[in-house]
Amino acid sequence: MKNSQLFIAKSEDHGTASPCPASHVLFSLFSETAKPSQYTEMDIDKDSYTKLIILILQFLDEENYKESLHLLEQESKIFFNVNYFRETIVNGEWEKAEEYLSSFTKLNDNRYSMKLFFEIRKQKYYEALVRNDQAEGVNVLWPDLKVFLDLQDENYEEIFDLIDLKNFRDNEHLSRIVNKESARAISWGDLKSLVEQNPTLQDKLIFPRLNQSGLLSIITLICPNPGKKTSIKEELIYLILQFLDEEKLKGTCHKLEQESKIFFNMNYFGEFVISGEWDKAVMYLSAFTMPDDNQHSAKIFFTLEKQKYLANLGRNDQVQAIKILPNDLQDNFLYKCMDAASLRANLCDVLKESVKSNPILQDKLKFPAMDKSRLLTILKKIMDWWIPHCANSTTGLYKSNISLVNIPKVPYLCREPMIVVNSHCQEASALPVPNGLVFHDSSCCNDVSLQAGMKSSEKCGSRDNTYLADANSGVYGKSTEKLTEINDPSECQALVLPDTSLTGGVTRLMYSCSGDFILALTQNATHKLWRWYCDDQHSSIKASANVEPQLYQPSSRLIMTNEIGTQPENALSCFSLNDPYLFSSSGGKISIFNLETFERLSTFGSPPPSTTYFTFLMQNIFAIGLDDSILIRCFDSKKTIAHLKGHQKRITCLAFSKNLNVLVSSGADAQLCVWSTNGWEKLASKFLLSKGEMLECPVVNHIEFHQDQIHLLAVHERNIHIYEAPTLNHSMQWVPQESDLPITYATYSCDGQSIFVSFKNGCIKVLVAKTLYLRCRINVTAYIPPGLSSEVYPIVIAAHPFQPNHIALGLTDGRVHVLEPLESEGEWGISPQPKDGEGLSTASCSAVLE
């Protein structure tokens, strides 16, 4: 196995882009992989092990699990972290430096290794001399340096010179040293050169150049729907812990338990108790709880500290030790458990019961049952797919459009799987499941039964035509569930925000990240800001339909108004928050406002071309949609990073996935494009053509990423689409009743569980995001008072950042309404369950992975 070739990405072209972050990781790790016929099963295992270690190292580093990171580096011996080694030298942590080095090479491996160990021990001796402590220096010298005398190597004479040295100023090297910091810097220069020349270390010094969150991206790609009780990151940590334990990387495993705090290893803790290693038991426990957390924690810490104290007094003082046990156990122990080992074993049982009763630790005691080598198996499934998929196309792979549509999927990560099959599909009988309802299976997605389900879905129709009808539209049969319908203000909580002047419809609307104010932009380029205050009128509170906010006006009495372009009738309004600044445009230049004073601080971007949409990708990177292209600019340097061309008409919306590191653009040309932030190359594109609208050019008015940063909501005036980034694989489509059309806007709730859809007839529909089933209809009479024009309807919806059932509506008459369900209800309607043959076209009968 060629060590470096298997995991070092050698490309130095930092402007080169990969198809997507996950495929970038796959390419970096698997690019040197041979054709399938040249692979043996053993090679794949060794490959998988190495690549998985690399991905885990990256994950530990990103999650700041530093101790686990460096322990895994030592235990796996795959990557020598030069930066960490340098830190130990510069900080004078000589024991830690030598321990780290010893994990990769031994003193007698070669002359470079011998010199490395000698220089570390010599510098340790020098610092003792600088402190004028020759006695300490000699005590350090002989145990650590005597080995070099025995070997009689090139360091032999230098050691004797050090022994005879009376005044450190007499030594040419030491006389140049002003302080220990400069001495360590000089020492590091020598050590760095020795590390780089050491043949044992040379192939372990370069870490692959991977996109951020490599392992997490791959796991999310192969299992997009993890368990609900734990996050995908927590489940990934469980998988890593299992892998470390199986591979006997015990130090890393137990250190990660402590740093991640998701699993308290009772057996590991018990080992310390039984062996009487009280300090280690206290240290492990302290990672999860402290004595002052609760009485349970206090009792456990007291027991451990008392045992430590008694052990120091006398190893055989068993009577005193027994007194800490419960009264009903003392008599038994006095007669039956007089030896210390037995006593500690029974003490361990008592402490375990205390741990189980501790509310802080109770939910950290159960490790999920899972198949052996689960994480390694998942990675091998990726490899098995990747090798034949790309074996003949490694040349220029970075520039190719790699389709991840057929990448293997697993129904679960580390929990018992459950697969639900909609039995209305005619081909569902191919599945060995009574009535096509539910079956349990511990295998992965490649199981024969699941493949049967997938094949049946293919026979039912192309997945790109997956078609979900409104559950009560009558297009594909009416739902027998009673739809929750809200018609009156008494059936919900509705609030009209106070306004002194109505100056055109609300075109843009958003909440602050903290949820304490809401900002609107109207058609006449004017901004309005409402703040929710406590009774003292000084401190802010979260937005609520129960409390009326104030229309904010700064003491300057300024009004935030954008420049209007030369063609205001065709201008698109857009704004973006970068706290505490507002970036906004209404067809003219982009204005930057201070939200506290409403002062315009600057303007930029003179049309033409006009700005149609913009958003911040990162704190200082700005994406600007124009008439037919996209500019990527650095806000700090005011320089253009990239100019993205691929649309034929104006950009209507932009959405950024921070997990996938991709930007998605929608255009008036009915096209979606995916751009990689690594090189800004186009990864994928797709034109949207709806059923029955092949002759029209449907405009995507809005796009938005789901909370998982993979599923993309695309809003067209006649339907809703869900795509999967970065491939734009079409997942679902929802078509409302013809009488409700057109759609004016749609957005996800903050928790990603619901989609709120507004219509020109004024109604709001609430969909279940996962299935696109209709759960509630809010009619216009519930929030607009009688007597207003029938032409008043919502143009835009803003979802509250923390309250998933709280929305704000920007209306055509300039008003903003806030809606919430009744407190007694808690949410909008109930989540309907799919019925056989209802609400689904035949194309959507594929297995649903829960």
Side-chain angles (χ1 to χ4, degrees):
M1 183 174 72
K2 298 183 294 182
N3 293 336
S4 62
Q5 295 295 317
L6 284 171
F7 63 87
I8 297 176
K10 291 192 172 182
S11 172
E12 298 298 329
D13 181 7
H14 294 283
T16 303
S18 67
C20 74
S23 59
H24 185 119
V25 174
L26 293 171
F27 176 77
S28 315
L29 295 176
F30 306 156
S31 59
E32 299 295 332
T33 301
K35 295 182 180 180
S37 60
Q38 298 174 325
Y39 256 80
T40 66
E41 187 61 32
M42 177 177 285
D43 288 332
I44 293 178
D45 286 342
K46 293 162 77 172
D47 260 1
S48 301
Y49 174 86
T50 302
K51 295 166 179 42
L52 184 51
I53 289 290
I54 291 166
L55 291 170
I56 293 174
L57 286 172
Q58 184 200 33
F59 175 79
L60 296 176
D61 182 54
E62 290 177 345
E63 295 302 312
N64 204 32
Y65 298 148
K66 297 301 183 185
E67 292 187 64
S68 302
L69 169 69
H70 301 313
L71 275 174
L72 182 56
E73 290 165 354
Q74 293 172 248
E75 292 187 314
S76 67
K77 308 181 191 322
I78 288 175
F79 173 63
F80 185 90
N81 192 327
V82 178
N83 289 333
Y84 174 67
F85 186 55
R86 175 186 174 277
E87 288 177 13
T88 62
I89 300 300
V90 172
N91 295 333
E93 299 172 297
W94 309 114
E95 288 79 10
K96 189 178 291 186
E98 186 165 331
E99 179 187 358
Y100 189 79
L101 181 63
S102 300
S103 299
F104 296 87
T105 185
K106 301 305 178 187
L107 184 145
N108 58 356
D109 279 353
N110 54 61
R111 66 187 185 90
Y112 297 100
S113 296
M114 185 175 294
K115 190 66 174 174
L116 277 167
F117 284 102
F118 176 73
E119 290 297 324
I120 291 173
R121 296 175 187 182
K122 183 177 73 173
Q123 186 61 34
K124 185 178 179 182
Y125 177 69
Y126 281 164
E127 293 197 4
L129 293 183
V130 171
R131 292 194 301 268
N132 290 321
D133 191 346
Q134 191 173 26
E136 179 188 343
V138 172
N139 290 334
V140 169
L141 177 72
W142 280 109
D144 289 349
L145 299 184
K146 186 176 182 297
V147 62
F148 299 103
L149 290 176
D150 297 336
L151 294 171
Q152 295 190 6
D153 72 327
E154 60 189 46
N155 304 304
Y156 187 86
E157 293 183 3
E158 188 174 357
I159 295 173
F160 273 107
D161 290 340
L162 290 173
I163 297 173
D164 293 336
L165 191 64
K166 303 300 180 184
N167 186 342
F168 76 91
R169 297 296 179 191
D170 295 339
N171 182 278
E172 182 182 356
H173 177 84
L174 293 175
S175 64
R176 300 197 308 267
I177 297 174
V178 178
N179 53 46
K180 63 182 179 182
E181 285 77 17
S182 62
R184 292 169 184 173
I186 294 172
S187 178
W188 169 246
D190 297 334
L191 291 168
K192 182 173 183 288
S193 177
L194 290 169
V195 166
E196 293 172 346
Q197 297 177 69
N198 195 321
T200 307
L201 302 177
Q202 280 178 339
D203 64 347
K204 305 179 190 298
L205 303 181
I206 303 175
F207 196 82
R209 184 168 54 87
L210 306 176
N211 272 27
Q212 186 178 2
S213 306
L215 184 56
L216 201 59
S217 296
I218 290 176
I219 291 297
T220 303
L221 196 65
I222 197 170
C223 185
N225 297 306
K228 298 178 180 178
K229 293 184 179 179
T230 55
S231 68
I232 194 168
K233 190 175 292 185
E234 289 175 323
E235 295 204 355
L236 177 55
I237 292 174
Y238 280 127
L239 292 170
I240 293 173
L241 287 173
Q242 185 207 36
F243 169 76
L244 295 173
D245 181 66
E246 290 180 344
E247 296 299 323
K248 311 301 181 189
L249 304 172
K250 298 298 185 183
T252 311
C253 182
H254 299 311
K255 184 56 65 176
L256 182 56
E257 290 166 357
Q258 297 170 71
E259 288 191 300
S260 64
K261 297 177 174 60
I262 71 167
F263 175 62
F264 185 89
N265 193 322
M266 188 77 84
N267 292 334
Y268 183 62
F269 176 70
E271 289 175 7
F272 293 138
V273 175
I274 292 175
S275 61
E277 297 177 277
W278 309 113
D279 285 338
K280 292 183 179 179
V282 169
M283 183 181 298
Y284 187 78
L285 181 65
S286 298
F288 299 87
T289 183
M290 297 302 292
D292 57 354
D293 284 345
N294 56 48
Q295 61 180 0
H296 303 279
S297 297
K299 180 180 178 181
I300 300 171
F301 276 101
F302 175 77
T303 301
L304 295 173
E305 293 294 344
K306 185 169 184 178
Q307 283 298 308
K308 177 183 174 182
Y309 173 74
L310 293 174
N312 291 334
L313 283 179
R315 299 282 178 182
N316 298 318
D317 196 350
Q318 299 174 21
V319 175
Q320 291 296 322
I322 290 171
K323 289 183 178 179
I324 70 167
L325 297 174
N327 292 331
D328 58 341
L329 295 177
Q330 288 185 17
D331 291 340
N332 289 333
F333 286 132
L334 281 171
Y335 291 100
K336 298 179 181 178
C337 303
M338 295 305 293
D339 62 287
S342 298
L343 179 62
R344 287 197 294 265
N346 285 279
L347 176 63
C348 181
D349 292 335
V350 174
L351 287 175
K352 283 184 178 180
E353 292 304 316
S354 297
V355 168
K356 290 178 182 178
S357 62
N358 192 326
I360 293 179
L361 302 176
Q362 283 175 343
D363 62 343
K364 305 181 192 309
L365 300 178
K366 187 177 180 181
F367 196 88
M370 62 181 93
D371 299 338
K372 185 179 179 181
S373 305
R374 180 66 175 152
L375 187 55
L376 201 57
T377 300
I378 289 175
L379 188 68
K380 285 177 64 177
K381 285 187 176 295
I382 289 278
M383 289 182 66
D384 292 342
W385 169 82
W386 180 266
I387 293 167
H389 187 74
C390 302
N392 298 317
S393 58
T394 55
T395 302
L397 191 59
Y398 276 102
K399 298 183 180 295
S400 63
N401 260 347
I402 298 177
S403 172
L404 300 179
V405 173
N406 296 320
I407 200 165
K409 298 289 179 72
V410 296
Y412 68 101
L413 289 176
C414 55
R415 62 186 178 92
E416 187 178 11
M418 182 177 73
I419 302 177
V420 181
V421 181
N422 299 314
S423 61
H424 63 270
C425 174
Q426 293 179 355
E427 298 292 335
S429 58
L431 289 165
V433 186
N435 301 322
L437 294 177
V438 178
F439 70 93
H440 297 272
D441 181 16
S442 60
S443 66
C444 293
C445 194
N446 290 339
D447 184 80
V448 175
S449 59
L450 185 56
Q451 287 177 339
M454 293 302 181
K455 290 177 181 178
S456 68
S457 69
E458 293 169 3
K459 293 179 181 179
C460 291
S462 169
R463 194 173 183 216
D464 273 350
N465 293 323
T466 301
Y467 199 79
L468 287 178
D470 191 337
N472 67 344
S473 65
V475 178
Y476 290 101
K478 295 185 178 180
S479 172
T480 56
E481 298 275 359
K482 183 179 180 181
L483 175 70
T484 301
E485 193 161 354
I486 297 176
N487 298 296
D488 191 80
S490 64
E491 297 174 328
C492 65
Q493 300 181 83
L495 175 67
V496 182
L497 302 193
D499 201 345
T500 55
S501 62
L502 300 178
T503 54
V506 177
T507 57
R508 297 292 174 189
L509 191 67
M510 85 164 48
Y511 281 95
S512 66
C513 293
S514 57
D516 59 347
F517 72 78
I518 192 168
L519 182 68
L521 174 60
T522 62
Q523 288 172 333
N524 72 343
T526 300
H527 301 82
K528 298 177 183 180
L529 190 152
W530 290 268
R531 290 187 183 274
W532 274 262
Y533 291 101
C534 294
D535 293 337
D536 59 15
Q537 300 297 308
H538 296 293
S539 56
S540 299
I541 61 172
K542 300 298 183 291
S544 170
N546 292 322
V547 179
E548 185 175 278
Q550 292 185 5
L551 182 62
Y552 178 72
Q553 182 68 52
S555 57
S556 64
R557 313 305 295 176
L558 293 173
I559 297 175
M560 293 188 291
T561 304
N562 287 332
E563 294 185 6
I564 299 178
T566 56
Q567 295 179 314
E569 67 279 359
N570 297 324
L572 291 180
S573 300
C574 49
F575 63 20
S576 181
L577 283 175
N578 191 12
D579 197 33
Y581 305 112
L582 169 68
F583 290 67
S584 185
S585 173
S586 298
K589 292 182 179 180
I590 299 175
S591 299
I592 306 176
F593 296 100
N594 183 310
L595 284 177
E596 291 297 325
T597 64
F598 284 8
E599 177 186 3
R600 180 189 283 114
L601 304 177
S602 178
T603 60
F604 65 95
S606 300
S610 298
T611 299
T612 59
Y613 199 90
F614 52 78
T615 186
F616 277 93
L617 311 187
M618 292 158 245
Q619 188 66 22
N620 63 338
I621 304 297
F622 200 52
I624 305 173
L626 303 173
D627 287 342
D628 61 353
S629 60
I630 304 166
L631 287 181
I632 308 297
R633 287 180 59 87
C634 177
F635 179 65
D636 293 340
S637 66
K638 297 181 174 58
K639 292 183 179 179
T640 298
I641 299 174
H643 192 182
L644 312 181
K645 296 182 178 180
H647 288 276
Q648 283 73 52
K649 294 186 178 181
R650 62 179 170 83
I651 307 300
T652 58
C653 197
L654 299 169
F656 176 64
S657 169
K658 60 180 182 293
N659 286 0
L660 297 177
N661 286 325
V662 297
L663 174 70
V664 181
S665 58
S666 63
D669 55 359
Q671 186 182 191
L672 296 176
C673 295
V674 182
W675 312 87
S676 169
T677 61
N678 184 10
W680 296 108
E681 293 193 18
K682 183 161 66 172
L683 306 180
S685 63
K686 179 166 290 188
F687 283 92
L688 174 65
L689 292 173
S690 303
K691 280 195 173 185
E693 297 182 335
M694 300 299 289
L695 300 179
E696 297 183 19
C697 186
V699 176
V700 180
N701 298 315
H702 178 69
I703 56 175
E704 178 183 328
F705 269 106
H706 183 270
Q707 190 182 44
D708 63 12
Q709 297 289 292
I710 296 176
H711 289 89
L712 182 78
L713 171 69
V715 184
H716 171 238
E717 66 177 15
R718 300 191 64 82
N719 41 50
I720 300 291
H721 298 263
I722 306 294
Y723 294 92
E724 295 177 4
T727 59
L728 292 181
N729 179 36
H730 191 214
S731 178
M732 290 185 289
Q733 178 181 350
W734 178 75
V735 181
Q737 298 179 91
E738 188 73 24
S739 59
D740 287 331
L741 295 174
I743 297 171
T744 59
Y745 201 82
T747 187
Y748 280 114
S749 61
C750 63
D751 61 359
Q753 300 297 310
S754 303
I755 298 176
F756 299 98
V757 187
S758 60
F759 295 84
K760 194 170 182 178
N761 66 3
C763 81
I764 309 294
K765 293 188 178 183
V766 187
L767 309 179
V768 179
K770 190 174 182 179
T771 61
L772 296 188
Y773 276 89
L774 180 62
R775 65 187 300 172
C776 181
R777 176 188 174 106
I778 308 169
N779 287 316
V780 65
T781 53
Y783 64 91
I784 295 183
L788 292 182
S789 170
S790 60
E791 291 300 314
V792 176
Y793 58 86
I795 303 176
V796 62
I797 309 175
H800 192 279
F802 303 118
Q803 302 173 36
N805 293 289
H806 178 122
I807 57 173
L809 310 176
L811 306 186
T812 51
D813 65 355
R815 289 185 171 87
V816 175
H817 292 238
V818 171
L819 295 180
E820 288 180 330
L822 294 174
E823 292 184 3
S824 59
E825 299 293 334
E827 59 183 8
W828 298 107
I830 58 174
S831 180
Q833 299 299 317
K835 300 291 184 178
D836 293 353
E838 293 174 358
L840 289 165
S841 72
T842 55
S844 61
C845 64
S846 59
V848 179
L849 304 182
E850 295 290 346

